[in-house]
């Protein structure tokens, strides 16, 4: 079955280290998104990509970086410049080219800085 | 003021009760999503609405575009319905296709 795979599910990082979160989809979706979720807040957009080799900053991009070298993959790097990286990170995808508005979500990665 | 407001924030119900969760939004939208997030964190899309009403099993979602309001109903609630329910809207004309999320409603159904 098609879907989005995020790995790892739980991740611990020492302060000052960069860490990369994986997001892979086999849905042939053009657009992919990274969201951050904090307790008591709605999900906020970090970065998005509508096509391979192109991506755009979202509302809270500072301290994060992404790449989109392949259609299936949209990894997110949390850099040491991110002041408060402990959060739940969610990847999503959709296929705007088909006119369908439905999204598919991954199961998320919970990052804890220790 | 948030562009997407949900109420209530927390809801506790007894098994079998009829549940309503509300979502109001202040922007023009192309579509509205109802999502379910279980304690593990993964999100499942329940409904996508642009008008009217949809039903899936014990879940019913309605939307009133003129009033900018949507409701999610759960009939004959069950403890397995316990989760966070999130309303998200796709901003009309938004080229990015980005969703604007509510903060969620935490539902706990007691046996």
């Amino acid at each position: 079955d098609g879907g989005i795979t995020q790995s790892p599910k739980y991740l611990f990082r020492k302060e000052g280290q960069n860490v990369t979160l994986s997001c892979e989809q086999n849905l042939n979706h053009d657009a992919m998104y990274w969201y951050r979720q904090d307790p008591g807040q709605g999900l906020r957009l970090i970065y998005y990509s509508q096509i391979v080799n192109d991506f755009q900053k979202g509302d809270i991009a500072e301290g994060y970086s992404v790449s989109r070298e392949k259609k299936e993959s949209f990894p997110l790097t949390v850099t040491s410049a991110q002041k408060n990286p402990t959060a739940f990170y969610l990847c999503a995808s959709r296929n705007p080219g088909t006119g369908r508005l439905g999204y598919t979500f991954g199961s998320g990665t919970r990052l804890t800085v220790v | 003021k948030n562009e997407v407001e949900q109420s209530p924030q927390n809801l506790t119900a007894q098994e079998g009760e009829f549940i309503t969760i509300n979502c109001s939004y202040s922007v023009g939208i192309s579509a509205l999503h109802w999502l379910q997030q279980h304690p593990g964190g993964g999100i499942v899309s329940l409904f996508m609405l642009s008008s009217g009403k949809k039903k899936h099993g014990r879940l019913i979602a309605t939307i009133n575009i003129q009033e900018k309001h949507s409701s999610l109903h759960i009939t004959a609630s069950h403890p397995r319905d316990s989760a966070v329910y999130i309303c998200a809207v796709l901003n009309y004309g938004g080229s990015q296709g980005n969703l604007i999320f509510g903060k969620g409603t935490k539902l706990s159904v007691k046996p």
Side-chain angles (χ1 to χ4, degrees):
Chain A
D1 286 339
I4 294 181
T5 301
Q6 286 190 245
S7 61
K9 191 171 178 66
Y10 298 96
L11 189 56
F12 295 87
R13 190 197 88 176
K14 289 185 180 179
E15 209 167 322
Q17 288 182 338
N18 292 355
V19 64
T20 298
L21 281 58
S22 170
C23 178
E24 303 277 333
Q25 54 102 354
N26 60 2
L27 301 162
N28 201 35
H29 283 177
D30 289 315
M32 297 185 74
Y33 306 83
W34 273 106
Y35 293 96
R36 170 180 170 139
Q37 187 178 40
D38 294 285
Q41 293 197 40
L43 283 87
R44 293 180 290 167
L45 182 66
I46 305 172
Y47 267 98
Y48 64 98
S49 167
Q50 292 189 293
I51 197 167
V52 174
N53 292 323
D54 185 58
F55 48 83
Q56 306 294 331
K57 292 182 179 180
D59 301 320
I60 54 167
E62 186 176 348
Y64 300 98
S65 66
V66 292
S67 63
R68 188 84 187 278
E69 296 176 3
K70 298 186 299 182
K71 189 174 187 177
E72 307 80 37
S73 179
F74 190 40
L76 173 74
T77 297
V78 184
T79 75
S80 56
Q82 168 51 233
K83 299 301 181 191
N84 187 21
T86 295
F88 183 72
Y89 293 87
L90 202 66
C91 180
S93 72
R94 65 187 283 258
N95 202 1
T98 65
R100 299 180 65 181
L101 300 176
Y103 286 75
T104 301
F105 292 88
S107 56
T109 293
R110 192 167 298 279
L111 173 64
T112 302
V113 174
V114 296
Chain B
K1 186 180 185 299
N2 293 329
E3 292 169 302
V4 180
E5 297 274 4
Q6 287 185 236
S7 64
Q9 285 188 330
N10 294 282
L11 181 57
T12 300
Q14 287 298 127
E15 183 173 356
E17 284 185 359
F18 180 83
I19 289 162
T20 296
I21 299 170
N22 295 299
C23 175
S24 296
Y25 52 91
S26 57
V27 296
I29 69 168
S30 298
L32 181 144
H33 290 255
W34 279 104
L35 310 169
Q36 181 188 55
Q37 185 173 32
H38 278 281
I43 288 182
V44 174
S45 179
L46 298 174
F47 294 104
M48 184 182 70
L49 295 163
S50 54
S51 65
K53 175 180 176 178
K54 286 190 176 180
K55 183 176 189 292
H56 181 67
R58 295 180 294 106
L59 301 177
I60 303 166
T62 64
I63 189 168
N64 185 318
I65 297 294
Q66 287 73 30
E67 294 186 3
K68 295 188 174 180
H69 181 269
S70 176
S71 293
L72 176 68
H73 306 286
I74 305 175
T75 62
S77 59
H78 189 276
R80 64 174 175 265
D81 297 325
S82 297
V84 176
Y85 292 84
I86 300 171
C87 172
V89 300
L90 181 61
N91 199 189
Y92 181 79
S95 59
Q96 306 94 331
N98 300 329
L99 294 171
I100 305 171
F101 294 84
K103 293 183 179 181
T105 295
K106 186 174 182 179
L107 171 65
S108 178
V109 181
K110 306 293 185 188

